[in-house]
C-alpha cells in the first residue's frame, strides 16, 4: 500500500487512491505505475475503468480503516462524491492529500476542502491550477492521454485525406453537461437536437454516439433513425477504451468533454457544439 513520488528523495507512503467520476478516474488510475501496491477505493464509473486495467479495488468506505494510510489521492468530481468525503476525513486526521484534476472549469468547486497538492495533467489546466491553488499546483503529464494515443490505430492518412466528408464516420461524444454558473446538470435532451442540426447540414457515411457513463442514447438513436434513414447509426459503449472508439472514426464532435481533447491529441479533426468556450484557458476546437 505504498507509493513513491519525486526524484530528489525516495519516500514511501501507504497510499489510498479514491475515485468516482469517469474523467477523474481515467486520469488517476492510469497513474497506477507511480504507486507501489496502492489500495483503491472506487465507486460509480471508476469501477469499470479499474476492471479494464485489471486493478483490484474496494467499493465501500466501511471496508477500510483510514488510519492505515498516510497518503490519500483523490480524483476531482463534477459533483461531491466519495472522493470529497474521503478528502475531508483524511484532512481531519492529518493525512497528506493529493487531488488530480480532469478538466478546465469549475476548479473552485471540485472539492469541499483543498488538497495539500493539486495535480494538473496538461499545460492549460496547469495555468488555471496555479491561479486557483497557487503553490499547491504541480504538473504530471497525463498518462491516460499518453496510453490512449499509443493505443490509437486510426484510418491510414492517405485514405482519410482522399475521402470526401460523405465517406467519413463521425463519432459524437455524449457527456453530462453542467451549467458554469450553478453547476446543475443540463437536460440530456440537448443531445438529439444538436446532432440533428449537424446531420441536417453535413453528410457522413456512418454516425456513432459514444454514451457517457451517466447517459443512455438509445431513444436519441431511435429518433435520429426515423428522421435520417439514410445513415448507419450505432451506440458505442463507454466501457470500451476510448482509443478503440477513436479508431473507428474520422471526425469527432461533442461539447467540451475531455474525450475531445484526447481525440485532438490523437490527430483527429475535432469540432464542438458549444457557442463559446466556458473558460479561455481550455482547448480550442473548431465549430461546424
Amino acid at each position: 500500500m505504498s507509493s513513491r513520488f519525486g526524484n530528489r528523495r525516495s519516500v514511501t507512503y501507504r497510499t489510498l487512491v479514491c475515485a468516482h467520476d469517469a474523467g477523474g478516474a481515467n486520469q488517476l488510475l492510469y497513474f497506477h505505475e507511480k504507486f507501489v501496491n496502492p489500495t483503491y477505493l472506487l465507486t460509480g464509473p471508476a469501477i469499470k475503468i479499474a476492471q479494464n486495467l485489471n486493478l483490484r479495488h474496494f467499493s465501500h468506505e466501511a471496508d477500510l480503516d483510514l488510519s492505515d494510510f498516510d497518503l490519500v489521492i483523490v480524483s476531482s468530481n463534477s459533483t461531491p462524491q466519495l472522493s470529497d468525503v474521503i478528502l475531508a476525513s483524511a484532512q481531519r486526521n492529518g493525512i497528506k492529500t493529493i487531488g488530480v484534476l480532469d478538466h478546465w472549469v469549475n476548479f473552485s468547486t471540485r472539492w469541499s476542502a483543498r488538497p495539500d497538492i493539486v495535480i494538473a495533467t496538461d499545460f492549460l489546466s496547469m495555468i488555471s491550477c496555479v491561479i486557483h491553488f497557487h503553490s499547491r499546483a504541480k504538473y504530471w503529464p497525463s498518462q491516460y492521454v499518453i496510453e490512449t494515443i499509443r493505443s490509437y490505430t486510426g484510418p491510414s492518412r492517405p485514405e482519410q485525406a482522399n475521402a470526401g466528408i460523405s465517406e467519413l464516420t463521425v463519432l459524437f461524444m455524449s457527456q453530462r453537461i453542467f451549467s458554469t454558473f450553478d453547476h446543475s446538470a443540463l437536460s440530456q435532451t440537448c443531445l438529439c437536437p444538436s446532432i440533428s442540426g449537424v446531420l441536417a447540414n453535413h453528410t457522413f457515411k456512418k454516425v456513432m454516439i459514444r454514451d457517457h457513463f451517466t447517459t443512455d442514447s438509445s431513444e436519441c438513436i431511435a429518433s435520429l433513425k426515423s428522421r435520417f434513414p439514410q445513415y448507419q447509426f450505432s451506440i458505442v459503449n463507454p466501457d470500451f477504451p476510448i482509443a478503440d472508439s477513436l479508431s473507428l472514426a474520422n471526425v469527432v464532435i461533442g461539447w467540451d468533454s475531455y474525450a475531445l481533447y484526447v481525440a485532438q491529441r490523437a490527430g483527429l479533426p475535432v469540432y464542438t457544439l458549444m457557442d463559446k468556450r466556458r473558460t479561455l484557458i481550455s482547448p480550442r476546437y473548431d465549430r461546424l
Side-chain angles (χ1 to χ4, degrees):
M1 294 186 295
S2 60
S3 300
R4 296 186 179 92
F5 297 92
N7 297 319
R8 295 183 180 178
R9 58 175 180 165
S10 180
V11 180
T12 301
Y13 295 100
R14 296 171 299 165
T15 303
L16 175 65
V17 177
C18 183
H20 175 90
D21 285 4
N26 275 323
Q27 292 297 351
L28 192 49
L29 298 183
Y30 275 81
F31 281 128
H32 63 87
E33 292 184 356
K34 284 183 174 285
F35 313 140
V36 182
N37 297 323
T39 297
Y40 292 98
L41 177 59
L42 309 174
T43 57
I47 292 175
K48 184 59 182 181
I49 294 170
Q51 291 171 346
N52 289 341
L53 294 170
N54 297 316
L55 300 177
R56 298 179 63 183
H57 65 276
F58 294 91
S59 297
H60 303 284
E61 183 184 358
D63 295 334
L64 300 170
D65 185 348
L66 205 59
S67 64
D68 289 338
F69 306 96
D70 45 27
L71 176 64
V72 170
I73 306 177
V74 298
S75 65
S76 61
N77 297 305
S78 52
T79 55
Q81 298 286 357
L82 181 62
S83 296
D84 220 13
V85 175
I86 293 296
L87 176 62
S89 180
Q91 293 185 332
R92 285 196 302 268
N93 289 277
I95 300 171
K96 294 180 181 295
T97 57
I98 295 177
V100 179
L101 294 166
D102 69 303
H103 210 274
W104 304 273
V105 300
N106 302 334
F107 279 13
S108 60
T109 61
R110 291 290 173 167
W111 301 288
S112 60
R114 293 189 173 190
D116 298 319
I117 295 174
V118 179
I119 302 297
T121 57
D122 63 84
F123 287 119
L124 286 173
S125 63
M126 183 59 182
I127 296 172
S128 293
C129 193
V130 170
I131 293 172
H132 284 85
F133 302 108
H134 309 296
S135 62
R136 298 170 188 248
K138 306 294 179 185
Y139 174 67
W140 286 354
S142 173
Q143 193 63 32
Y144 168 58
V145 173
I146 293 171
E147 290 296 328
T148 298
I149 293 174
R150 185 179 298 162
S151 303
Y152 167 70
T153 55
S156 66
R157 291 302 171 189
E159 290 178 2
Q160 189 161 337
N162 294 329
I165 193 168
S166 61
E167 297 300 314
L168 300 182
T169 297
V170 61
L171 173 63
F172 286 92
M173 293 290 189
S174 180
Q175 76 180 86
R176 181 176 53 179
I177 304 175
F178 284 80
S179 166
T180 304
F181 301 102
D182 61 10
H183 316 300
S184 59
L186 302 182
S187 171
Q188 283 302 316
T189 57
C190 64
L191 178 68
C192 257
S194 297
I195 296 178
S196 294
V198 172
L199 299 183
N201 294 288
H202 302 274
T203 303
F204 299 96
K205 182 179 181 181
K206 297 179 181 178
V207 177
M208 301 184 299
I209 300 176
R210 180 182 168 95
D211 265 338
H212 186 268
F213 286 94
T214 61
T215 65
D216 181 357
S217 300
S218 55
E219 290 187 8
C220 177
I221 286 286
S223 174
L224 291 172
K225 282 182 176 179
S226 64
R227 182 176 178 185
F228 302 100
Q230 70 272 30
Y231 287 115
Q232 300 177 43
F233 290 96
S234 61
I235 297 177
V236 179
N237 192 318
D239 289 344
F240 297 145
I242 189 68
D244 293 350
S245 299
L246 297 180
S247 296
L248 298 172
N250 306 99
V251 179
V252 177
I253 301 174
W255 284 270
D256 63 351
S257 164
Y258 197 87
L260 297 189
Y261 172 73
V262 177
Q264 188 179 66
R265 288 287 305 274
L268 281 162
V270 174
Y271 298 91
T272 181
L273 298 168
M274 300 185 74
D275 291 331
K276 61 181 179 180
R277 292 180 293 172
R278 287 191 281 177
T279 172
L280 293 177
I281 308 176
S282 61
R284 185 185 299 275
Y285 310 116
D286 291 332
R287 279 189 53 79
L288 284 174

